[in-house]
């Protein structure tokens, strides 16, 4: 008797979301099976990696990753062009970090101008992120959404405390939207319900269940992502079918393992390799859990993860 | 949990009048309201329909599917009327459900139609003689119907076994027999047989203001034993909320604070 591969099929489907425009536009999601199990269903789109840049110098990044961008990171436009032209980034994630009250408190108008400048300098799709300050993001992301009108960007992150204004702005200017909740699948579902009840199309939504680095709660992120996928596919829960984003870089490049010097911990190996390995492993785990879009920092880590993805697809 | 909306029935005066006058509006409104309230199928009960049954069922199916993108449950003892309905039923939104075959010889033809039109079929575990005494007797009848379905070429996954719900106010012990039968029916096949009930039978004869309570508590118990589908009133919001909440406890849906609104 020959061996027959047992196959699981699902009624549900991950929603496909496109962003960007013209020939640089990208699509994520759309799969009808668990990650990379293409023998069980359709996998129309590969996970996409976006390079993270900031609207101010990355003073909070460790040297190993800061040095990669030291010639370009003084200006977001130059930085964005470098990612697109030299690193061949498929997408760029612009974090409006300097709008945070503790990091310069730049105004929403300033942020909007940065968005416009970056958009006119690059052609690859843009993800526009706030500074993760609930109140400030509500005004910054509204201005950014308007400045990016007609560019089909992804904006985020809408959270329980500020989603109303951000959703309205994404709706008015026709952007895709990241909905973020803090490592809780039921809250993730609830936020998606509230957002769609405002008339926002669930097919334009991306779920951020919140990231954690390897060694700092990655298994919680992994488990929530996996359960979101299963709810969307096996239970056919429409609120759990948007693609998932993993904002990896900001959680990896601040932990001890990516920061501690070689003199402090000589038996941990070289600092640079350590950081790259940490971002690679964290991001790879998330892709295996079902992440469709990654936001990353180090080009070598991006290269590693892209290689793994192309081998698995 | 699959809900089959029961409101379009010849027993209701408004529906009967609309049927006789071939006035689609009241029927379409009722179908739409049930569908929006979460019904997966719309039951179309035209009764025995001895006169013009074929024309009536055809008209009902077409009128309802003009406004509702859902499969219908065709409910009549008139075989030729049933066939007329199956012929025009739009399967794009799912297979039609025949209501129903049983162990009575004049209901065998329903299985033939289910095979011919690739439809689902309810099998009422009722024989020729008296009512089934208990769950075991219901299983015996179910096994006979399943064997017959196989002969006619109806796949087991298209058969919905109905334990026959009886009134709590006159046959209290039967309510528990039916629950046990739902559990036992599933063991008659692998994968488990699907099960269905005509829920509101349980509260027939009890004071009107208690019917919804009795229906929804009973449904929750049946769901716990693995019930697949119920013919019920989707416009009863309390009942639908109990369905959604029971589905949560059974792990069929994921909790969120707004789960009742989904």
């Amino acid at each position: 008797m020959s061996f027959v591969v047992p196959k699981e099929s699902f009624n549900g489907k991950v929603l496909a979301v496109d962003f960007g425009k013209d020939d640089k536009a990208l699509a994520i999601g759309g799969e009808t099976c668990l990650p990379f199990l293409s023998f069980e269903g359709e996998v129309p789109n590969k996970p996409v990696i976006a390079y993270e840049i900031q609207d101010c110098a990355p003073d909070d990044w460790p040297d190993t990753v800061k040095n990669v961008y030291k010639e370009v990171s003084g200006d977001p436009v130059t930085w964005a062009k470098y990612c697109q032209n030299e690193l061949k980034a498929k997408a760029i994630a612009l974090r409006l970090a300097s709008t945070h009250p503790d990091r310069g408190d730049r105004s929403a108008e300033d942020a909007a101008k940065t968005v416009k400048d970056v958009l006119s300098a690059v052609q690859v799709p843009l993800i526009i992120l706030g500074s993760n300050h609930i109140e400030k993001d509500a005004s910054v992301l509204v201005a950014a959404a308007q400045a990016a009108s007609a560019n089909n960007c992804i904006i985020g992150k809408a959270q329980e405390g500020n989603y109303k204004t951000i959703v309205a702005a994404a709706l008015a200017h026709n952007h895709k939207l990241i909905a973020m909740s803090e490592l809780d699948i039921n809250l993730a579902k609830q936020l998606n319900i509230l957002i769609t009840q405002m008339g926002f199309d669930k097919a334009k939504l991306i779920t951020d269940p919140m990231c954690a680095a390897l060694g700092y709660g990655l298994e919680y992120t992994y488990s929530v992502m996996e359960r979101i996928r299963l709810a969307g596919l096996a239970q056919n829960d429409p609120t759990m079918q948007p693609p998932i984003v993993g904002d990896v870089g900001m959680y990896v490049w601040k932990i001890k393992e990516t920061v501690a010097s070689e003199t402090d911990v000589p038996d941990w190996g070289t600092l640079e390799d350590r950081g790259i390995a940490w971002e690679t492993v964290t991001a790879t785990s998330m892709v295996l859990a079902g992440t469709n879009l990654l936001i990353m920092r180090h080009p070598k880590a991006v290269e590693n993860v892209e290689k793994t993805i192309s081998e698995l697809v | 949990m699959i809900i089959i909306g029961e409101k379009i029935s010849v027993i209701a005066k408004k529906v009967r009048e609309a049927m006789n006058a071939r006035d689609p509006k009241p029927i379409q409104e009722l179908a739409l309201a049930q569908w929006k309230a979460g019904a997966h199928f719309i039951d179309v009960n035209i009764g025995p329909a001895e006169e013009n049954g074929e024309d009536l069922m055809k008209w009902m199916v077409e009128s309802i599917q003009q406004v509702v993108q859902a499969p219908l449950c065709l409910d009549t003892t008139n075989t030729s009327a049933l066939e007329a309905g199956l012929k025009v039923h739009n399967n794009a939104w799912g297979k039609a459900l025949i209501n129903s075959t049983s162990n009575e010889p004049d209901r065998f033809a329903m299985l033939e139609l289910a095979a011919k039109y690739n439809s689902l079929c309810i099998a009422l575990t009722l024989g020729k003689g008296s009512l089934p005494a208990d769950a075991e007797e219901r299983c015996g009848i179910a096994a006979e119907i399943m064997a017959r379905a196989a002969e006619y070429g109806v796949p087991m996954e298209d058969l919905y076994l109905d334990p026959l719900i009886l009134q709590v106010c006159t046959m209290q012990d039967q309510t528990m027999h039916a629950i046990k039968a739902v559990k036992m029916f599933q063991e008659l096949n692998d994968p488990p047989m699907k099960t269905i009930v005509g829920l509101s039978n349980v509260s027939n004869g009890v004071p009107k203001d208690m019917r919804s309570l009795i229906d929804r508590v009973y449904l929750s118990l049946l769901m716990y034993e693995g019930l697949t589908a119920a013919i019920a009133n989707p416009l009863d919001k309390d009942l639908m909320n109990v369905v959604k909440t029971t589905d949560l406890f059974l792990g069929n849906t994921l909790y969120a604070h707004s789960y009742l609104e989904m």
Side-chain angles (χ1 to χ4, degrees):
Chain A
M1 218 175 97
S2 63
F3 174 70
V4 181
V5 181
K7 288 183 189 174
E8 221 171 332
S9 65
F10 301 110
N11 295 326
K13 180 184 175 178
V14 177
L15 297 164
V17 173
D18 68 280
F19 62 114
K21 53 179 195 173
D22 305 329
D23 61 330
K24 297 287 184 192
L26 294 169
I28 52 171
E31 61 268 27
T32 59
C33 55
L34 290 170
F36 303 109
L37 302 187
S38 54
F39 62 94
E40 291 191 333
E42 305 282 315
V43 185
N45 301 300
K46 283 198 295 190
V48 167
I49 304 177
Y51 274 90
E52 178 182 345
I53 67 169
Q54 292 194 353
D55 65 343
C56 57
D59 303 328
D60 56 327
W61 296 16
D63 289 344
T64 30
V65 64
K66 193 160 62 182
N67 287 344
V68 177
Y69 301 106
K70 66 172 185 280
E71 306 293 335
V72 295
S73 60
D75 166 48
V77 170
T78 317
W79 194 351
K81 277 188 185 162
Y82 176 76
C83 289
Q84 176 187 272
N85 301 336
E86 304 303 320
L87 302 176
K88 308 295 172 203
K90 295 186 183 69
I92 291 170
L94 168 63
R95 197 181 303 279
L96 300 166
S98 73
T99 60
H100 196 285
D102 302 336
R103 286 198 64 191
D105 203 15
R106 285 179 60 200
S107 69
E109 292 71 35
D110 279 357
K113 185 179 179 306
T114 305
V115 167
K116 271 201 172 133
D117 292 347
V118 170
L119 275 170
S120 54
V122 293
Q123 291 78 50
V124 295
L126 192 66
I127 301 162
I128 303 165
L129 302 169
S131 64
N132 219 9
H133 186 276
I134 301 275
E135 292 82 27
K136 193 67 190 286
D137 277 2
S139 58
V140 167
L141 289 174
V142 169
Q146 190 179 6
S149 197
N151 280 281
N152 193 23
C153 295
I154 296 174
I155 69 162
K157 301 162 182 178
Q159 305 183 51
E160 195 187 354
N162 62 11
Y163 74 92
K164 282 184 184 160
T165 48
I166 299 171
V167 169
L171 202 56
H173 300 287
N174 214 6
H175 295 300
K176 307 306 186 307
L177 179 73
I178 299 174
M180 182 191 147
S181 47
E182 295 187 349
L183 278 178
D184 183 317
I185 188 171
N186 306 105
L187 293 181
K189 174 169 175 169
Q190 179 67 11
L191 183 59
N192 286 358
I193 294 174
L194 294 174
I195 288 172
T196 49
Q197 281 177 342
M198 285 183 68
F200 195 83
D201 184 356
K202 67 176 187 299
K204 293 182 170 184
L205 209 51
I206 298 167
T207 301
D208 181 358
M210 195 159 112
C211 259
L214 171 65
Y216 294 81
L218 172 64
E219 52 277 46
Y220 292 96
T221 297
Y222 192 101
S223 163
V224 171
M225 287 178 171
E226 201 175 34
R227 287 164 59 213
I228 287 176
R229 268 296 157 272
L230 286 170
L233 294 173
Q235 295 182 345
N236 200 6
D237 184 333
T239 64
M240 292 279 87
Q241 288 170 344
I244 296 174
V245 60
D247 194 356
V248 176
M250 64 179 283
Y251 290 95
V252 167
W253 294 102
K254 65 178 184 187
I255 61 168
K256 192 172 62 186
E257 287 79 355
T258 61
V259 175
S261 73
E262 287 159 35
T263 44
D264 288 346
V265 279
D267 48 348
W268 279 11
T270 61
L271 178 58
E272 191 183 8
D273 290 351
R274 223 193 289 148
I276 293 166
W278 226 269
E279 189 173 31
T280 301
V281 172
T282 303
T284 306
S285 306
M286 281 175 195
V287 164
L288 295 177
T291 299
N292 305 88
L293 175 64
L294 291 161
I295 298 169
M296 295 177 64
R297 288 180 180 173
H298 203 294
K300 287 224 172 82
V302 172
E303 196 183 309
N304 291 340
V305 179
E306 274 182 342
K307 183 161 172 282
T308 306
I309 291 170
S310 65
E311 284 169 359
L312 285 173
V313 165
Chain B
M1 185 66 196
I2 299 170
I3 295 290
I4 294 122
E6 68 182 5
K7 299 297 284 182
I8 298 177
S9 169
V10 69
I11 299 165
K13 185 164 172 272
K14 202 173 113 188
V15 173
R16 190 167 58 243
E17 285 171 359
M19 281 181 187
N20 291 339
R22 294 290 191 276
D23 173 12
K25 210 167 162 238
I27 290 164
Q28 289 174 332
E29 280 171 2
L30 212 43
L32 201 58
Q34 293 184 91
W35 187 48
K36 283 186 175 164
H40 302 89
F41 287 80
I42 307 296
D43 193 78
V44 186
N45 181 355
I46 62 166
E50 276 151 11
E51 272 175 46
N52 295 324
E54 293 164 37
D55 178 60
L56 176 61
M57 188 59 106
K58 179 175 179 285
W59 177 80
M60 290 287 279
V61 170
E62 287 175 339
S63 303
I64 294 169
Q65 288 198 320
Q66 261 176 26
V67 293
V68 165
Q69 294 172 7
L72 306 183
C73 175
L74 306 185
D75 193 350
T76 176
T77 48
N78 179 339
T79 324
S80 55
L82 183 64
E83 181 159 15
L86 291 171
K87 264 186 195 161
V88 294
H89 184 272
N90 185 346
N91 283 14
W93 304 306
K95 295 179 184 180
L97 177 61
I98 296 172
N99 193 0
S100 59
T101 189
S102 74
N103 230 7
E104 296 159 291
D106 59 347
R107 298 282 192 106
F108 294 177
M110 305 302 184
L111 287 173
E112 203 178 330
L113 290 176
K116 185 174 173 188
Y117 291 95
N118 187 25
S119 307
L120 311 172
C121 191
I122 297 175
L124 199 56
T125 53
L126 183 66
K128 282 163 277 190
S130 53
L131 295 173
D134 52 22
E136 286 73 13
E137 200 174 312
R138 286 172 164 92
C139 280
I141 297 169
E144 283 183 48
I145 298 175
M146 286 164 66
R148 191 176 306 114
E151 273 172 41
Y152 281 97
V154 177
M156 286 302 113
E157 63 261 33
D158 286 350
L159 206 58
Y160 285 69
L161 295 175
D162 183 336
L164 183 66
I165 302 300
L166 296 165
Q167 304 172 354
V168 67
C169 64
T170 53
M171 283 171 278
Q172 193 178 344
D173 60 332
Q174 280 287 355
T175 56
M176 207 58 217
H177 291 315
I179 291 174
K180 194 176 166 195
V182 163
K183 187 179 156 94
M184 289 172 68
F185 284 165
Q186 294 167 72
E187 292 158 12
L188 296 175
N189 193 50
D190 184 20
M193 290 302 290
K194 290 171 180 157
T195 53
I196 191 166
V197 295
L199 183 66
S200 52
N201 276 356
V202 76
S203 63
N204 237 329
V206 307
K208 202 170 175 236
D209 60 351
M210 285 154 57
R211 292 198 63 175
S212 167
L213 172 71
I214 287 179
D215 287 352
R216 63 184 188 263
V217 173
Y218 194 52
L219 183 57
S220 186
L221 295 172
L222 289 160
M223 285 175 73
Y224 177 73
E225 292 296 4
L227 184 73
T228 318
I231 305 170
N233 177 10
L235 304 180
D236 180 347
K237 196 153 189 182
D238 290 334
L239 178 93
M240 294 305 276
N241 285 347
V242 165
V243 169
K244 287 173 184 172
T245 307
T246 309
D247 267 330
L248 276 184
F249 288 129
L250 295 175
N252 297 329
T253 53
L254 180 68
Y255 178 83
H257 296 325
S258 298
Y259 78 90
L260 290 178
E261 292 156 44
M262 296 310 291

